[in-house]
Amino acid sequence: ELKVEQNPLFLSMQEGKNYTIYCNYSTTSDRLYWYRQDPGKSLESLFVLLSNGAVKQEGRLMASLDTKARLSTLHITAAVHDLSATYFCAVEANFGNEKLTFGTGTRLTIIP
Amino acid sequence: EADIYQTPRYLVIGTGKKITLECSQTMGHDKMYWYQQDPGMELHLIHYSYGVNSTEKGDLSSESTVSRIRTEHFPLTLESARPSHTSQYLCASSEEAGNYGYTFGSGTRLTVV
C-alpha cells in the first residue's frame, strides 16, 4: 500500500523567510504532483513532476523530485501572506493506473 | 471554457434522505474520480471511472455509489444519508494524469443532520 507523508503538518512562518515542505512516499514512482487548497475551497494544481531530478518553479515556489530517495520538496522563498494555504503532494500509485494517493497536507500560515 | 462543475456547492439534509451529488466536466476527459475530505484533512479516493460504463471503488470504503453513463457526467449517490457522511466531496477528472495531473471541481460540502 502506497503511503505518502508530509512534514511538517503545520507551519507558521514570518513574511520574508524561506522554508521547505517535505513529501516522502513509500513505493517507486516517477510521478508526483503538488496542489494548493485555500480554506473551504477546492484544489489548485501547482506543479507536475514527471522524472527524477525534475525541478519546477513558479514565483516564490519551487518544487523538486528525487525518485531514488522517494522525496519531493516544495521550497518557499521570501514568503508573503498570499501563500497561506494548505499544500498537498500526491503520488501516482503504480505507473499507468493514474490513481493518486495524497499526502496528509501541510497547513502553512504566513505571519505579517 | 473547459471546466469541471459540481452541484450543489453546499447541502444540508436530514438523516435517511437519498441524495445525488452532481459532477460534470466539459473537457472530454475519460478518467474521473471522487474524493472525500474532512475539513483540513487528507483526501481519500472513494470511486473512480476510466470511461463510460466503467466504475471502481477506491481505497476508502464508502456507502455511496456512482454511475458513468456519459463521458461528461459522474454523479455520486447516497441512498440513505447518515451523519457519518458529513464531509466535503471533491470530483476530479484527468485526460493523461501523468502529464497534467487532475482538475478538481469546486466541491460539495455535505452536512447530514
Side-chain angles (χ1 to χ4, degrees):
Chain A
E1 179 189 350
L2 172 60
K3 292 190 184 299
V4 182
E5 295 183 347
Q6 289 180 235
N7 70 83
L9 297 183
F10 299 92
L11 176 57
S12 181
M13 54 189 293
Q14 288 185 316
E15 279 189 329
K17 299 292 187 182
N18 303 334
Y19 209 81
T20 300
I21 299 170
Y22 298 89
C23 174
N24 292 90
Y25 53 97
S26 63
T27 192
T28 302
S29 175
D30 292 333
R31 297 168 180 257
L32 190 138
Y33 310 84
W34 284 96
Y35 290 87
R36 168 181 172 146
Q37 185 177 38
D38 292 307
K41 304 290 187 181
S42 188
L43 275 75
E44 172 191 355
S45 178
L46 292 176
F47 298 110
V48 178
L49 303 170
L50 300 179
S51 62
N52 186 39
V55 178
K56 296 280 184 72
Q57 182 165 4
E58 180 72 32
R60 300 175 187 274
L61 299 177
M62 183 173 70
S64 65
L65 177 62
D66 181 343
T67 60
K68 294 179 181 178
R70 300 179 185 174
L71 170 69
S72 179
T73 61
L74 180 65
H75 187 72
I76 303 151
T77 301
V80 294
H81 180 69
D82 287 350
L83 291 179
S84 296
T86 299
Y87 293 85
F88 290 93
C89 63
V91 179
E92 186 174 319
N94 298 295
F95 182 78
N97 79 357
E98 296 165 13
K99 288 193 298 175
L100 296 187
T101 298
F102 281 79
T104 49
T106 296
R107 186 174 299 179
L108 174 64
T109 303
I110 309 296
I111 303 168
Chain B
E1 179 183 342
D3 212 336
I4 181 165
Y5 305 94
Q6 288 187 245
T7 57
R9 182 73 178 91
Y10 301 93
L11 179 61
V12 180
I13 199 163
T15 298
K17 299 293 186 182
K18 177 180 179 180
I19 58 171
T20 296
L21 309 184
E22 301 289 347
C23 176
S24 296
Q25 49 97 3
T26 59
M27 296 171 282
H29 287 171
D30 288 327
K31 301 171 182 66
M32 297 188 74
Y33 312 84
W34 277 103
Y35 282 84
Q36 184 175 343
Q37 182 189 30
D38 291 328
M41 304 296 285
E42 63 197 283
L43 284 74
H44 295 285
L45 180 67
I46 52 175
H47 297 284
Y48 61 100
S49 168
Y50 285 164
V52 171
N53 294 326
S54 154
T55 61
E56 300 287 345
K57 289 189 179 295
D59 303 321
L60 179 68
S61 176
S62 174
E63 295 169 346
S64 59
T65 59
V66 293
S67 62
R68 189 86 183 276
I69 299 172
R70 304 197 313 269
T71 297
E72 63 270 22
H73 195 213
F74 191 40
L76 181 146
T77 298
L78 277 166
E79 291 292 333
S80 179
R82 296 208 300 268
S84 61
H85 296 139
T86 294
S87 189
Q88 173 160 252
Y89 293 84
L90 292 163
C91 181
S93 72
S94 69
E95 182 179 22
E96 291 291 338
N99 296 327
Y100 304 109
Y102 290 6
T103 301
F104 279 88
S106 55
T108 294
R109 189 172 297 277
L110 173 66
T111 303
V112 183
V113 297

